[in-house]
Amino acid sequence: MKYLIIGGVAGGATVAARLRRLDENAEIVLFERGEYVSYANCGLPYYIGDTINERDKLFVQTVKGFVGRFRIDIRTRQEVVGIQPGNKQVKIKRLSTGETYIEGYDKLVLSPGAEPLRPNIPGINSKKIFTLRNVSDTDAIKRYTLQAKPRHAVVVGGGFIGLEVAENLHDLGIGITVVERADQVMAPLDYSMAAIVHQHLAEKKVKLILEDGVENFEETPEGLSVHLQSGKKTEADMALLSIGVRPETKLAKEAGLKIGSLGGISVNAYMQTSDPDIYALGDAIEVTHQVTGKPALIPLAGPANKQGRIVADNLVYGNKETYSGTIGNSIAKVFDLTVASAGANAKLLKREGIPYLSSYTHSASHAGYYPGALPLSIKILFSPDDGRLLGAQVVGFHGVDKRMEMLAQVIQRKGTIYDLISLEQAYAPPYSSAKDPVNMAGYVADNVLKGRTKTIHWREIAAISGDTVLVDVRTPGEYALGTLPGAINIPVDDLRKRLSELPKDRPIIVTCAIGLRGYLACRILTQNGYANVRNLSGGYKTWHTATANRHIIGSDIV
């Protein structure tokens, strides 16, 4: 059996290695138009910032290593330029010479990946403007930072990669401006959670410009002028484009393979394309989103590796293994913060017409009495019918990864908020609390779902009626540091003896720091005859962070 694989890195290299482990006698040829067949794509920003200071550590496997261990025919710097499914042949171009040749196959695997978006705007071809997708891009950025010694960089796009690059350039002593067309960074997060990231970027002196895009670039004697659509401009020595990627589907389209509604290669559960002898995987394909059940483009290394194993198994043993889809479980380091999300966010659920409830908790990363406990913010989204967990977002300084993994397992298995309550975590004071933050998220959601407390969210505060009474139940000292406009202060411990100060015929909204004391206050009030009482979900912390102005515009904007 002769297998041809187009593209290396996570998907194609995984297929190749697995095929050899399953079939010692197969003829396996892997084509990679770049110089490197298998490298740590996700580690590239950290090499730029010197966190990874040895370039060789980026390479998961070299051509020599692949050939020696797996006896695979690796052809780098050779690009497949055409597929002829009828003849079961591909046309290959040797990039070093420009000559072309034909290679036949029994089975073909497409792992072409995705390409960075590079808009056709004036000045885009400046050598001071970079994208980051592969080792060559990384080398170019690294070389420029060493030779040109830039003092300021503009990162266009506030997604995961953009912010990782921003952090690593910042670590080199380069001033950073992030320009993002949307009203927030990190699109998988809902705004209230992204606002925590906005706040942290401001603390790190990163200039953040939201709801604005780049109109054009202009090279100047001093460097690079970045002209924005608002009419403003910012000066820099370099720019990094990180505005998203699109699936590389040119070969598939020209070969007549089916393309999905979102522009990715369409595959079935066996990872088979519309041609039964051609399989596809990785960033170029559409997958099923396990929450919505709809097609999605989710370019992540973890799913690509899992798909690679499934493809290899199906090639050798026939279509027996299936890929059920993904929940888009992702995580990123943003300076001192860790940011993670899985499942569906509010924007996606609204777009798909899926009803949901949500809740916020701000627990400590471990037992509060043990030194070093830091805030850990969790937002969960769940079904109002049965409590099925639809999505989760976690932002904090410590322990974010393990909480997201707990939450993601429940989402993936179509579990509910009650599963969050029953999850048993490893507990010791340096690592958690007896009631873990994930348990607490479940408890809060249970109170909401069962109607023990009614909540109001931060966005709704601006639209409350004029007769609403706002009650801040924190201590006078906390209240003095800032509160909701018009809120009166009645500490929760004084509430029972001051009930006469609150009218029973008007709506009451209770707030505290993070929602816990507010819940206690709501229980006191409702059991004392107050019928229209709501607790501010996530408390003053969520409201203040989400409503603060985080459009940080530096003095170099003119």
Side-chain angles (χ1 to χ4, degrees):
M1 185 70 73
K2 183 176 182 179
Y3 304 105
L4 300 188
I5 302 168
I6 301 174
V9 197
T14 297
V15 174
R18 177 74 173 169
L19 279 174
R20 176 57 72 217
R21 291 195 295 271
L22 298 179
D23 187 348
E24 180 64 19
N25 298 312
E27 183 179 357
I28 306 168
V29 184
L30 188 151
F31 299 97
E32 170 56 53
R33 67 186 173 198
E35 187 177 349
Y36 308 101
V37 65
S38 182
Y39 56 88
N41 207 317
C42 298
L44 300 182
Y46 301 100
Y47 172 64
I48 291 170
D50 286 339
T51 298
I52 298 172
N53 50 31
E54 293 181 35
R55 184 175 178 275
D56 287 349
K57 289 186 176 180
L58 294 173
F59 301 105
V60 179
Q61 184 62 276
T62 63
V63 173
K64 182 179 179 181
F66 235 123
V67 173
R69 178 164 295 181
F70 297 106
R71 198 167 51 82
I72 293 168
D73 185 354
I74 304 290
R75 303 182 190 178
T76 58
R77 300 285 295 156
Q78 297 194 35
E79 181 178 8
V80 175
V81 294
I83 302 171
Q84 301 167 14
N87 300 327
K88 300 186 77 169
Q89 294 179 331
V90 299
K91 183 179 181 181
I92 304 104
K93 180 179 180 181
R94 290 189 175 95
L95 298 181
S96 59
T97 64
E99 63 180 309
T100 61
Y101 65 97
I102 299 295
E103 192 83 33
Y105 65 84
D106 294 309
K107 300 288 184 180
L108 178 65
V109 178
L110 302 181
S111 181
E115 58 182 341
L117 295 175
R118 197 176 179 94
N120 185 22
I121 59 176
I124 193 69
N125 294 320
S126 168
K127 295 189 180 300
K128 298 176 182 179
I129 300 172
F130 303 87
T131 57
L132 180 60
R133 189 62 182 170
N134 52 42
V135 175
S136 297
D137 294 339
T138 307
D139 288 341
I141 296 170
K142 187 77 170 178
R143 186 164 51 248
Y144 187 83
T145 60
L146 291 172
Q147 295 176 356
K149 301 189 183 307
R151 294 168 299 170
H152 196 91
V154 169
V155 176
V156 183
F160 281 62
I161 294 174
L163 293 187
E164 287 174 349
V165 174
E167 176 187 350
N168 280 277
L169 291 176
H170 184 277
D171 286 347
L172 296 177
I174 300 170
I176 303 295
T177 295
V178 174
V179 178
E180 169 57 55
R181 187 189 297 271
D183 64 351
Q184 66 169 80
V185 300
M186 308 195 89
L189 299 182
D190 289 322
Y191 182 88
S192 52
M193 298 297 281
I196 302 172
V197 183
H198 298 171
Q199 185 179 44
H200 189 60
L201 292 173
E203 291 166 356
K204 293 296 181 179
K205 309 301 181 188
V206 172
K207 299 166 186 175
L208 177 60
I209 303 173
L210 299 172
E211 298 181 270
D212 208 348
V214 175
E215 185 73 25
N216 66 279
F217 295 97
E218 178 188 3
E219 282 205 29
T220 68
E222 294 76 25
L224 191 67
S225 284
V226 184
H227 296 259
L228 304 181
Q229 292 170 348
S230 62
K232 301 186 177 91
K233 70 175 180 178
T234 182
E235 304 298 332
D237 302 302
M238 65 179 292
L240 189 288
L241 295 179
S242 182
I243 56 177
V245 297
R246 62 171 161 237
E248 288 210 27
T249 58
K250 184 174 181 289
L251 281 174
K253 286 178 181 177
E254 292 176 349
L257 301 181
K258 182 181 177 182
I259 303 299
S261 59
L262 301 178
I265 301 171
S266 180
V267 296
N268 62 19
Y270 302 110
M271 310 307 296
Q272 223 169 7
T273 69
S274 54
D275 184 311
D277 291 320
I278 302 177
Y279 291 69
L281 72 157
D283 295 358
I285 69 167
E286 292 185 7
V287 297
T288 299
H289 195 292
Q290 289 182 319
V291 173
T292 68
K294 301 286 184 66
L297 296 171
I298 302 178
L300 294 171
N305 276 278
K306 295 175 179 65
Q307 293 159 12
R309 183 182 178 93
I310 290 169
V311 167
D313 284 9
N314 288 339
L315 286 169
V316 174
Y317 300 125
N319 288 343
K320 296 179 180 179
E321 302 295 327
T322 60
Y323 184 70
S324 60
T326 179
I327 58 172
N329 191 359
S330 55
I331 191 166
K333 178 181 178 294
V334 183
F335 292 90
D336 301 329
L337 278 180
T338 302
V339 182
S341 69
N345 60 20
K347 294 185 287 290
L348 178 57
L349 293 173
K350 288 176 182 176
R351 188 165 67 243
E352 295 297 334
I354 299 174
Y356 70 94
L357 297 172
S358 62
S359 66
Y360 300 90
T361 52
H362 301 286
S363 303
S365 55
H366 58 252
Y369 58 82
Y370 187 88
L374 292 169
L376 186 74
S377 298
I378 297 178
K379 180 180 182 180
I380 60 172
L381 304 102
F382 50 96
S383 168
D385 298 324
D386 57 7
R388 179 187 167 188
L389 190 62
L390 303 172
Q393 300 159 36
V394 187
V395 179
F397 296 93
H398 296 307
V400 170
D401 51 346
K402 74 173 182 177
R403 272 55 183 233
M404 180 47 68
E405 286 162 4
M406 295 164 73
L407 291 159
Q409 289 298 306
V410 175
I411 296 170
Q412 191 172 36
R413 284 163 173 71
K414 296 180 171 54
T416 70
I417 61 166
Y418 306 110
D419 294 311
L420 303 185
I421 294 172
S422 63
L423 277 173
E424 184 175 340
Q425 83 288 357
Y427 161 63
Y431 305 106
S432 183
S433 299
K435 288 187 284 191
D436 188 81
V438 171
N439 299 141
M440 291 302 300
Y443 290 134
V444 170
D446 174 54
N447 287 333
V448 172
L449 197 59
K450 291 181 176 175
R452 296 190 188 98
T453 183
K454 296 177 182 178
T455 58
I456 185 170
H457 290 279
W458 67 272
R459 285 188 187 273
E460 301 171 276
I461 293 296
I464 60 175
S465 60
D467 64 339
T468 302
V469 179
L470 288 167
V471 184
D472 189 326
V473 298
R474 297 176 297 163
T475 65
E478 292 173 285
Y479 174 80
L481 293 174
T483 189
L484 273 64
I488 62 173
N489 183 216
I490 303 179
V492 65
D493 294 340
D494 299 338
L495 185 58
R496 291 181 180 87
K497 59 188 175 186
R498 295 177 61 179
L499 290 175
S500 61
E501 299 177 29
L502 297 175
K504 290 187 175 180
D505 59 348
R506 292 167 61 184
I508 295 175
I509 294 173
V510 178
T511 183
C512 64
I514 60 174
L516 175 58
R517 283 173 287 177
Y519 167 67
L520 299 175
C522 283
R523 296 301 300 158
I524 292 170
L525 291 170
T526 55
Q527 293 180 83
N528 278 277
Y530 292 82
N532 192 354
V533 181
R534 288 180 291 174
N535 185 26
L536 178 59
S537 184
Y540 179 73
K541 178 182 175 72
T542 293
W543 177 86
H544 181 261
T545 302
T547 57
N549 181 9
R550 298 298 172 192
H551 297 242
I552 311 301
I553 300 179
S555 58
D556 60 338
I557 304 290
V558 297

